[in-house]
Amino acid sequence: MVKRVHIACLVLFGAVTVAGLASTSAALSGRDKPTAIATLGATLLSSGPIQQGHASLACQACHDPAPGTLRQQMQVLARGTPVDVGFSPVNSAICADCHDRPADRHPIHRFNEPRFRKALDTVQANTCLGCHSEHENRRLHRADTGFRAACHADLTLKRDPLDVPHVTLVKQDNWQSCLTCHDFHGNHAHSPQTRMQAAFPLEAVNAYFADGPSPYGLKPLTAKDAR
Ligand code: HEC
Ligand code: HEC
Ligand code: HEC
Ligand code: HEC
């Protein structure tokens, strides 16, 4: 992933911060209202509404202060060296701190194997943020179907239980069907359906990605709250 310098959203120091905060929050309300976190003299303004499951989390649960004081960070920046100012970028390790998923069928570390190198051009499956997002009021930004083709184009099952076999689905380029029967991580107590007729409607799956209820039922695993 491209390492970015996190300065764009920083509002620095006194008067500017206060004035900026006051004028922005006046126009917004409720979950959309920007909350500020302040550390080392830098303030981070929320860039958008947070998904339901994360509504009760503190900003710092995901946003770690960058190393050094703000003054030191600015000095490094002034020398033209890329540096994280104020806060470090959110990374997969932070997500994994709370989302321990021992039974994950698609653990991100698997995708660092050389045979998946080409697939990573299509989807950054080796990082949580390759598919998930935050501040967009969605669980997933990667809800298109293309990424399944990146790994499963040669899919064959020895004893296929489906009424329309997997090879046929692949031949039909029916990549949008996959998540109407399978949950990606396999962390729900759901067994995939064996008839196309019984598959979840695509709209129900898309609604879940956009922060709606889960068609796959309740999760067997819950995130650890404290950090
Ligand atoms: C569940 C984790 C999580 C929580 C909680 C969270 N954020 Fe974020 N935030 C992210 C992710 C992921 C990104 C996008 C990746 C990145 O820029 O590091 C992001 C990006 C941002 C950005 C844009 C930064 C940039 O450089 O693009 C701001 C500003 C921000 N968050 C502020 C907040 C504030 C304020 C809160 C508390 C109200 C908060 N966040 C809570 C995960 C979180
Ligand atoms: C401080 C703990 C914490 C951190 C850090 C965290 N989460 Fe969560 N996350 C939760 C909690 C709590 C829920 C609510 C559902 C649950 O208990 O599993 C949740 C829910 C979710 C959900 C929706 C699941 C559902 O059924 O509602 C997704 C997707 C998710 N998190 C992804 C992420 C990603 C990606 C990151 C890293 C950017 C991240 N989380 C960081 C605690 C955390
Ligand atoms: C290649 C895309 C992809 C990547 C990478 C990915 N996810 Fe997911 N994730 C999904 C999809 C699709 C769903 C919805 C289907 C489901 O619930 O399994 C989902 C659902 C979830 C859920 C809610 C359901 C559950 O199992 O609790 C959580 C939480 C979650 N992901 C966390 C993570 C974390 C943490 C990472 C990084 C360690 C990650 N995901 C990496 C695609 C991805
Ligand atoms: C109508 C429901 C349905 C649809 C649609 C579907 N599957 Fe399946 N899939 C199943 C069932 C049932 C099995 C066999 C039971 C199992 O292994 O969990 C299976 C098995 C698999 C397996 C083997 C799992 C293993 O552990 O060996 C893979 C991989 C797979 N499907 C991928 C896909 C992909 C990729 C798509 C989209 C092209 C897809 N499936 C579409 C129901 C479905």
Side-chain angles (χ1 to χ4, degrees):
M1 264 225 310
V2 186
K3 182 131 169 67
R4 284 182 297 148
V5 186
H6 276 232
I7 47 169
C9 53
L10 283 170
V11 185
L12 303 175
F13 314 122
V16 183
T17 309
V18 176
L21 257 177
S23 61
T24 332
S25 36
L28 299 160
S29 64
R31 261 210 303 169
D32 295 341
K33 193 170 181 168
T35 324
I37 41 175
T39 185
L40 307 167
T43 301
L44 191 57
L45 280 175
S46 173
S47 54
I50 209 145
Q51 58 168 316
Q52 277 179 49
H54 291 156
S56 62
L57 300 186
C59 310
Q60 287 90 335
C62 293
H63 293 285
D64 285 335
T69 63
L70 188 63
R71 193 189 152 100
Q72 287 163 343
Q73 293 159 7
M74 295 313 279
Q75 282 166 349
V76 176
L77 196 67
R79 287 199 296 271
T81 314
V83 64
D84 294 331
V85 177
F87 299 88
S88 301
V90 179
N91 60 43
S92 302
I94 292 173
C95 312
D97 256 6
C98 292
H99 295 286
D100 191 16
R101 2 174 32 83
D104 198 338
R105 205 194 333 232
H106 286 113
I108 50 172
H109 61 80
R110 264 192 74 186
F111 296 100
N112 290 325
E113 293 173 25
R115 66 193 169 112
F116 292 122
R117 196 167 295 147
K118 206 160 172 290
L120 293 184
D121 292 342
T122 307
V123 56
Q124 277 85 55
N126 58 348
T127 97
C128 307
L129 296 179
C131 297
H132 292 281
S133 46
E134 197 40 275
H135 304 297
E136 292 172 28
N137 209 6
R138 293 184 61 82
R139 295 195 167 107
L140 280 150
H141 66 83
R142 199 56 209 252
D144 62 324
T145 54
F147 80 83
R148 277 145 244 166
C151 293
H152 291 293
D154 56 358
L155 178 66
T156 44
L157 265 69
K158 276 210 191 78
R159 239 174 278 112
D160 199 320
L162 287 197
D163 54 359
V164 178
H166 283 78
V167 269
T168 309
L169 294 176
V170 170
K171 213 176 287 160
Q172 292 169 343
D173 262 339
N174 192 353
W175 300 108
Q176 61 181 22
S177 70
C178 313
L179 294 174
T180 64
C181 291
H182 296 279
D183 62 335
F184 179 80
H185 295 292
N187 281 309
H188 299 88
H190 162 72
S191 324
Q193 300 85 322
T194 52
R195 288 177 306 112
M196 289 303 281
Q197 279 266 309
F200 301 123
L202 189 59
E203 304 79 64
V205 173
N206 284 331
Y208 168 54
F209 295 166
D211 218 14
S214 164
Y216 312 108
L218 295 172
K219 298 178 294 297
L221 298 176
T222 38
K224 286 177 277 158
D225 244 298
R227 210 171 79 89

